[in-house]
Amino acid sequence: MNRERYILRSLAVGFVTAILMFFAFFISEKVATLINVAAIVIQIMLGVRRTHDIGKSGWWMFLIVVPLVNIIWGSTDIQKGDNGMNEYGADQLER
């Protein structure tokens, strides 16, 4: 997943989640919790796809829970992906 698609999809998930959460709090706190968990899972899936694009394992995504490391790791959002094939598949920009 290239940088632009990753950032746009992350923003879209955040925007949709914010709207759904606004209405969910009027319905039920449990519904809001389910929406939040679903959004977190989707963001993790997007992050794993992005880490694969730069040639790293998806497990690196879990470094974002470590204080200060998450700031450094956040630079991968703007880092160019690997050129050509890597161990996780073809270059997304060649499609």
Side-chain angles (χ1 to χ4, degrees):
M1 170 176 298
N2 64 35
R3 292 173 285 188
E4 180 183 356
R5 285 184 11 200
Y6 170 72
I7 291 170
L8 290 176
R9 287 181 183 180
S10 291
L11 288 173
V13 169
F15 182 72
V16 170
T17 302
I19 292 172
L20 290 175
M21 291 292 285
F22 176 76
F23 292 110
F25 275 116
F26 294 114
I27 298 170
S28 166
E29 196 171 312
K30 290 181 182 181
V31 172
T33 302
L34 288 174
I35 291 170
N36 219 3
V37 168
I40 290 169
V41 169
I42 292 170
Q43 289 289 16
I44 289 172
M45 289 173 18
L46 287 172
V48 167
R49 288 182 65 187
R50 179 66 187 141
T51 55
H52 285 175
D53 184 47
I54 60 172
K56 302 227 182 288
S57 169
W59 290 104
W60 283 88
M61 186 64 200
F62 292 104
L63 282 178
I64 63 171
V65 298
V66 179
L68 297 178
V69 174
N70 58 5
I71 296 169
I72 297 166
W73 185 249
S75 67
T76 61
D77 293 347
I78 57 173
Q79 178 182 351
K80 186 178 182 322
D82 290 347
N83 291 324
M85 289 282 290
N86 65 17
E87 63 184 290
Y88 300 103
D91 185 356
Q92 296 295 313
L93 295 177
E94 292 179 355
R95 290 184 179 179

